[in-house]
Amino acid sequence: MKNLSIFILLAMTMLWTPVLAQEQQDNSQLTKKEQRKLAKQQKREAEELYEQQMALVTKKMVEGSAFVLEANMLFDKYGASVNVNSNVNFISIANGKGVMQLSFNNVAVGLNGIGGVTLDGKVNNYTFKENKNGGYSVRFSLFGSGGNYDVSMSVMPGGQATATIRGNWSRELKYQGNLVPVDQSRVYKGFSMFGGN
C-alpha cells in the first residue's frame, strides 16, 4: 500500500508539473478576473484528481480486507456521541485478524492500560458490496476470547466510514472516522483484555 501511495504521488507530480509551468507562463497575460477563474478551475481539477486517487485507495483497502478505521467519534444506540482520539479508538483488520479498541480521555488506566478496552480476534465472513454512490457496505465478524462481535460498515469513496458493532450484549456502538491503510496508520494499541497482544 505504501508503494501505491508513492506511485500516486509520483504520477500526480509528473502529470501536473508541465501543465502548471505552461499555465504560469500564460497567466501573466490574463486579467485578474480571468486569473481568479483559472485558479478556481485548477483547484477544482486538483480536488477531482485527489478524490479519484482516494477512491482507488479505498477500493484497494476494502477489496483487500486490510485497513484501520481510525475513529474520531463514537455513538451509542440512542445517538448520543462523544469525540475521541483517533490514535487510540479504532477497528483494524489485516491477514484475517482484527482488533477493536476503545479508550476514553478521562479514564486513568482502564483494562488496556490506556483508559479503555482492547479486544483481539479472528475475522470471519468478510463480505463487501459496492454501492451506487461508489462507496461500500462491508460486513464481518470478529471472534475472540472477549466475545463474538458483528461489524457492519458504511464506507464512502473518499474513505470516510461508520462501523456499527453488535456483540454479546443488547447494546450497539458506532465508530465514525476514516479508513487508513494499515502501513500508514498511527494508532497505539493497548494491552489486550484477554492476552491477545
Side-chain angles (χ1 to χ4, degrees), residues 152-164:
S152 57
M153 298 177 63
S154 174
V155 182
M156 299 301 290
Q160 303 85 2
T162 301
T164 302

Side-chain angles (χ1 to χ4, degrees), residues 113-125:
I114 54 172
V117 178
T118 303
L119 298 168
D120 290 271
K122 183 179 177 185
V123 174
N124 283 336
N125 306 319

Side-chain angles (χ1 to χ4, degrees), residues 3 7 47 60 66 73 82 84 111-112 117 124 153 188:
N3 292 339
F7 172 76
E47 286 170 352
K60 185 104 174 159
M73 192 167 286
V82 59
V84 293
L111 296 173
N112 60 1
V117 178
N124 283 336
M153 298 177 63
Y188 177 79

Side-chain angles (χ1 to χ4, degrees), residues 38-180:
L38 182 60
K40 277 186 181 177
Q41 180 183 345
Q42 289 171 347
K43 183 180 177 186
R44 188 168 54 249
E45 288 171 357
E47 286 170 352
E48 286 173 5
L49 181 62
Y50 175 77
E51 287 170 6
Q52 290 169 6
Q53 301 305 328
M54 284 304 300
L56 285 174
V57 172
T58 301
K59 179 176 177 153
K60 185 104 174 159
M61 288 188 288
V62 170
E63 288 182 350
S65 63
F67 53 77
V68 181
L69 169 52
E70 296 183 355
N72 49 38
M73 192 167 286
L74 299 175
F75 296 84
D76 66 17
K77 71 175 182 178
Y78 304 107
S81 65
V82 59
N83 291 318
V84 293
N85 184 338
S86 62
N87 290 338
V88 290
N89 289 277
F90 64 91
I91 300 169
S92 69
I93 66 170
N95 303 317
K97 295 180 181 176
V99 178
M100 286 191 306
Q101 181 169 284
L102 286 172
S103 182
F104 298 101
N105 299 337
N106 298 327
V107 179
V109 180
L111 296 173
N112 60 1
I114 54 172
V117 178
T118 303
L119 298 168
D120 290 271
K122 183 179 177 185
V123 174
N124 283 336
N125 306 319
Y126 181 91
T127 61
F128 69 91
K129 177 183 171 187
E130 188 167 0
N131 303 324
K132 291 179 182 178
N133 67 354
Y136 301 89
S137 296
V138 177
R139 289 171 113 34
F140 61 93
S141 298
L142 186 65
F143 292 98
S145 53
N148 302 331
Y149 302 90
D150 292 320
V151 182
S152 57
M153 298 177 63
S154 174
V155 182
M156 299 301 290
Q160 303 85 2
T162 301
T164 302
I165 318 291
R166 292 180 183 89
N168 304 341
W169 67 96
S170 60
R171 302 178 198 159
E172 68 178 35
L173 179 67
K174 286 187 183 177
Y175 287 68
Q176 182 175 292
N178 295 293
L179 285 196
V180 178

Side-chain angles (χ1 to χ4, degrees), residues 22-32 34-35 38:
Q22 179 67 39
E23 287 175 349
Q24 285 173 350
Q25 292 172 355
D26 296 343
N27 282 357
S28 60
Q29 297 165 359
L30 298 175
T31 66
K32 287 190 176 185
E34 291 170 329
Q35 288 177 2
L38 182 60

